[in-house]
Amino acid sequence: MGGDVGPEVAIGGAAQSLMRHPDISFLLYGRKDAIEPILAGYPKLAERSQVIDCEVTVEMDEKPSQALRRGRNVSSMWRAIDAVKEGQSDAAVSAGNTGALMAMAMFCLKTMPAIDRPAIAGIWPTLRGESIVLDIGATIGADAKQLLDFALMGGAMARALFEIKKPTVGLVNVGVEEVKGVEQVKEAGKLLREADIDNLEYAGFVEGDDLGRGTVDVFVVEGFTGNIALKTAEGTARQIAEYLRSAMSRTWMTRLGYVLARGAFQMLRDKLDPRKVNGGVFLGLNGIVIKSHGGTDAEGYASAIDVAYDMVHNGLQAKIQHDLNEYHARNESPMGPEAA
Amino acid sequence: MGGDVGPEVAIGGAAQSLMRHPDISFLLYGRKDAIEPILAGYPKLAERSQVIDCEVTVEMDEKPSQALRRGRNVSSMWRAIDAVKEGQSDAAVSAGNTGALMAMAMFCLKTMPAIDRPAIAGIWPTLRGESIVLDIGATIGADAKQLLDFALMGGAMARALFEIKKPTVGLVNVGVEEVKGVEQVKEAGKLLREADIDNLEYAGFVEGDDLGRGTVDVFVVEGFTGNIALKTAEGTARQIAEYLRSAMSRTWMTRLGYVLARGAFQMLRDKLDPRKVNGGVFLGLNGIVIKSHGGTDAEGYASAIDVAYDMVHNGLQAKIQHDLNEYHARNESPMGPEAA
């Protein structure tokens, strides 16, 4: 029921993702009278779907605390998450209110043992392909231990998403020298250098311009800065697209050039299409929850479902749990880390 | 002597800026034997310049503390700053080591009364024109009072740079609602809402994507996040330029389109040219110091000198002092702010 448009987008997205992954079946939570008329237009999806009628829906502008009070146990959002907890579904996908989704997911699924705070990981298009950036806004003010957790969870997600054995992980900082930056980041760097983790290669500090370059597979950053960096990049991309549009329409010659180079502009548009990398992954919870952009269309929603599918098929949760266990077994003996 | 290239760039830049501002005269600090042969190629500049021989130069990779120890009183960087303090020059411009420049500027010029920490303000190209962003990396971890100071100083700089009477100021945050974000930002928002400042219009919270839009004249952000946002934007611009280059050279048709639309691409290149907005302004010191990008060329260096020229001519220091005085007079009576 969430997102700026509503069930059309979620149902259209499910239909598209089903074409790519015919083994998915869907539990659709929301108002039956809103869902069923739309679902009737997608007979193949209807065959693989079950509609669960929920009268209460979480509003896009509701405060998380209010959404929890009003929507716990009864709202479509809560029940979709609860289905993951109960093992009825493998992942929940929503384009709804991000704060409410995180609050409900934390409250219902709980964080994994040894994880204090979940993170939201985004997929960032780079010159090398794609990288994972976390946290892009689940919480603000992470300490060194939490940044370390982000590195471990991001590394596990990179293994699941990119199917590589030993992803590289960088800590985003204001310089690459060891003495630079805030205490939490320096301390997290120390923990990561000392940690002995088979599945992860710590690459040291990276800077803001490394994001576009894709210098590492996983960029670790505290949520306040991560969220602002993500939105700054989105804003810059829109700004340049706008410059380009206005420059190309200036004279008949530039317009003719545009027509001839249409294929190139289409390619650029595809590269910059935010729908292609839609899907923020909640990491650190006992279950998979994916947040789709609220303003996306069916194609974007389908991408978010694809991410959920990959995370389930490639065993995201088991990979995270494995890496956390390995780290804690090696670095925290009952005698404390020194004796390990 | 600073920057990645050395005196060629500074001297070439001075010559270009002198063409635009024939009333500037220059004090050139550095090794005489390195400067004079280059200066000989610019007779008009030579006429308006005095070379001050300094044997010691600060290295680009030197730690600020080391640069201070080794270069205090004797290095070209120190002496250029000291000339501002002594009233021999109106502003110092350097493409050298940023950390060393800030440390020397603080040590030599000292911060203005009521300013705890200086900031570096950058000029950000936007869809509306240009905005000021600060702090882009002078210090990390600003508290509410310091963010307020950044707003006051950024507002004064906007009045000097854009020649507008009442610039708009926004606080960069992870959402626009009052409840969002870190405590320091929320508290700074409260201080700014309550402050009664004639020369400044507080526009509330803004987000990362507002930077490219130029929603406000002045964006206030703590230095760690500001630095990462700036570099993320630079990285994104380079990434898109790279996509575009590779897309345009794919087929003969796109290449022909490129040739026809060359004018448009030149326009885009101009828009994105980092040399056009070169010049980080140190704010909050008893004197004007401008940091040019270390990797820039003569044209970029000339832009940094132009910024220095504008700051001097439009009375940056007096404007900052006026706004600080006004704020403190109205908001801090001897009985505390409540009684003011």
Side-chain angles (χ1 to χ4, degrees), chain A residues 305-317:
Chain A
I305 298 173
D306 291 347
V307 170
Y309 182 90
D310 286 345
M311 294 299 100
V312 172
H313 267 250
N314 293 326
L316 172 68
Q317 297 296 100

Side-chain angles (χ1 to χ4, degrees), chain A residues 28-49:
Chain A
L28 304 174
Y29 291 86
R31 290 206 336 270
K32 212 165 191 159
D33 57 347
I35 294 171
E36 287 192 331
I38 306 167
L39 191 58
Y42 301 95
K44 276 194 186 150
L45 175 65
E47 259 177 50
R48 311 270 316 162
S49 299

Side-chain angles (χ1 to χ4, degrees), chain A residues 268-333:
Chain A
L268 183 69
R269 220 169 286 134
D270 284 350
K271 281 273 190 194
L272 299 177
D273 188 347
R275 297 176 304 179
K276 299 258 160 103
V277 289
N278 184 28
V281 180
F282 288 10
L283 294 177
L285 298 168
N286 295 306
I288 296 174
V289 177
I290 310 286
K291 172 63 172 65
S292 158
H293 255 294
T296 198
D297 60 9
E299 193 181 332
Y301 203 99
S303 299
I305 298 173
D306 291 347
V307 170
Y309 182 90
D310 286 345
M311 294 299 100
V312 172
H313 267 250
N314 293 326
L316 172 68
Q317 297 296 100
K319 284 190 167 71
I320 293 179
Q321 200 55 68
H322 173 275
D323 288 3
L324 287 173
N325 290 346
E326 188 191 341
Y327 175 80
H328 290 290
R330 292 192 187 177
N331 295 283
E332 285 166 22
S333 82

Side-chain angles (χ1 to χ4, degrees), chain A residues 164-178:
Chain A
I164 46 177
K165 280 203 180 137
K166 194 164 182 156
T168 52
V169 177
L171 281 170
V172 183
N173 200 349
V174 294
V176 295
E177 303 86 1
E178 273 182 34

Side-chain angles (χ1 to χ4, degrees), chain A residues 125-126 140 173 181-182 207-209 211-213 224-225 231-233 236 238-239 243 247-248 250 257 260-261 264 267-268, chain B residues 125-126 140 173 181-182 207-209 211-212 224-225 231-233 236 238-239 243 247-248 250 257 260-261 264 267-268:
Chain A
T126 76
I140 50 183
N173 200 349
V182 288
E207 298 193 63
D209 49 348
L211 288 160
R213 268 188 230 129
F224 183 81
T225 303
K231 288 191 178 156
T232 301
T236 304
R238 269 201 296 273
Q239 178 185 4
Y243 285 157
M248 295 307 292
R250 256 181 79 243
L260 288 171
M267 219 177 116
L268 183 69
Chain B
T126 74
I140 50 184
N173 200 349
V182 287
E207 298 192 62
D209 49 347
L211 288 161
F224 182 81
T225 303
K231 290 192 177 153
T232 300
T236 304
R238 269 200 297 273
Q239 179 185 4
Y243 285 157
M248 295 307 291
R250 256 181 78 243
L260 288 171
M267 219 177 117
L268 183 68

